Amino acid sequence: MKRETRFQAAFITGASSGIGAAIATELGARGARVVLAARREPELRVVARAIAERGGRAELCVLDVADTSATREAVRRWDEETGGLDLVLANAGVGDVQSADKLEWRAVERILDVNLVGALAVLTEALPLMLARGRGTLAAVSSLAGLRGLPTSAVYSASKAALRIFLESLGVELRPRGLHVVDVRPGFIDTPMTRKNRFPMPFLMPLEAATERAIGGLERGEPVVAFPWQLSMAMTLAEKMPDALWRAIAARLPTKPD
């Protein structure tokens, strides 16, 4: 029997690959009208075909979320064209590993523009539209890396930590008003991007399992959807450690090669 989703219309950024594409494909197959937003049109078309082959419906939105004017306009336009988005997922993100002595502002700015500023542009533009209807799910993909400062991940971890606090603050205000705010907080997921990594990835999770966990949390409106559970537990314990203890532990972690 075909599984159905409670979402009618979803706008998903970073939908051309990885977990964004996987979530979009599964939601489309389960009956949601999915707007696929990302920079790479050929990859978006591949995802759209995969959705169509499973009987779903997808729309393409070629978009760089770092362009906040275009991003805000796209959210408004697709909300109108779909008759009201009930899921907006800010998933677009870029990552980089760099030791402190090699940090350059251009790379720092790009990570913050996509991971933080772009995500906030998506969410804040959708917010009044959902509030006017008194329903909807605002969500973003942060990271377990946002729970503590990690060696060679200063900018990435900082961008995800800021996004995490933004979502937490929104959730406190919006749940009583009928909106769900969901922080999807993955660790290492087995995707083509992570397969290029040359450093240890503890508790690497299969993409299919990660997708199921993310969609389940989104549909239930869970404030935090963290996975895999082993890495989530480890990082939660790390977050609660005294700072001096964490600094001593982090200094001994294997560094990611530049």
Side-chain angles (χ1 to χ4, degrees):
M1 185 172 67
K2 181 178 178 180
R3 297 177 64 181
E4 295 185 353
T5 178
R6 72 175 184 84
F7 298 120
Q8 301 299 310
F11 183 93
I12 301 175
T13 67
S16 60
S17 62
I19 195 168
I23 291 172
T25 301
E26 190 60 32
L27 287 178
R30 296 184 188 184
R33 180 180 178 184
V34 183
V35 181
L36 308 170
R39 292 181 299 120
R40 300 174 297 175
E41 185 173 358
E43 286 83 349
L44 286 178
R45 293 194 179 279
V46 171
V47 178
R49 282 198 298 271
I51 293 173
E53 288 169 0
R54 295 181 61 182
R57 180 180 181 186
E59 315 281 358
L60 268 59
C61 175
V62 179
L63 177 70
D64 182 350
V65 297
D67 182 344
T68 55
S69 295
T71 297
R72 294 169 59 215
E73 191 278 330
V75 172
R76 291 194 302 270
R77 175 166 60 88
W78 283 108
D79 186 80
E80 181 177 352
E81 292 196 17
T82 59
L85 298 164
D86 54 358
L87 170 64
V88 170
L89 175 60
N91 166 74
V94 294
D96 193 16
V97 293
Q98 197 70 269
S99 58
D101 60 339
K102 294 183 178 180
L103 284 176
E104 295 182 354
W105 175 246
R106 181 177 298 179
V108 171
E109 187 175 34
R110 177 62 182 172
I111 292 172
L112 293 176
D113 281 349
V114 175
N115 294 5
L116 181 58
V117 178
L120 268 56
V122 170
L123 297 172
T124 55
E125 200 63 30
L127 174 56
L129 304 172
M130 289 186 177
L131 276 176
R133 294 188 288 267
R135 58 181 175 82
T137 298
L138 287 168
V141 176
S142 67
S143 173
L144 291 173
L147 295 179
R148 271 295 191 179
L150 298 167
T152 69
S153 295
V155 187
Y156 181 79
S157 289
S159 70
K160 296 300 187 178
L163 181 57
R164 173 174 67 90
I165 295 299
F166 180 81
L167 293 167
E168 183 177 23
S169 298
L170 279 188
V172 172
E173 288 190 65
L174 297 179
R175 186 167 290 269
R177 302 181 66 178
L179 271 64
H180 296 288
V181 178
V182 180
D183 179 359
V184 180
R185 200 180 289 175
F188 294 111
I189 309 302
D190 186 13
T191 64
M193 181 177 294
T194 59
R195 289 174 202 143
K196 299 176 184 178
N197 290 341
R198 296 182 291 118
F199 53 83
M201 294 181 289
F203 307 111
L204 183 69
M205 191 173 187
L207 179 58
E208 182 177 352
T211 302
E212 279 294 322
R213 179 69 184 96
I215 291 177
L218 289 167
E219 292 188 329
R220 289 187 293 270
E222 297 177 19
V224 176
V225 187
F227 51 86
W229 68 266
Q230 302 96 325
L231 189 57
S232 175
M233 181 178 293
M235 291 304 296
T236 299
L237 290 172
E239 183 187 23
K240 298 181 185 302
M241 286 180 184
D243 290 345
L245 177 58
W246 171 249
R247 283 194 292 269
I249 292 173
R252 290 168 173 76
L253 292 175
T255 57
K256 302 169 186 178
D258 293 337

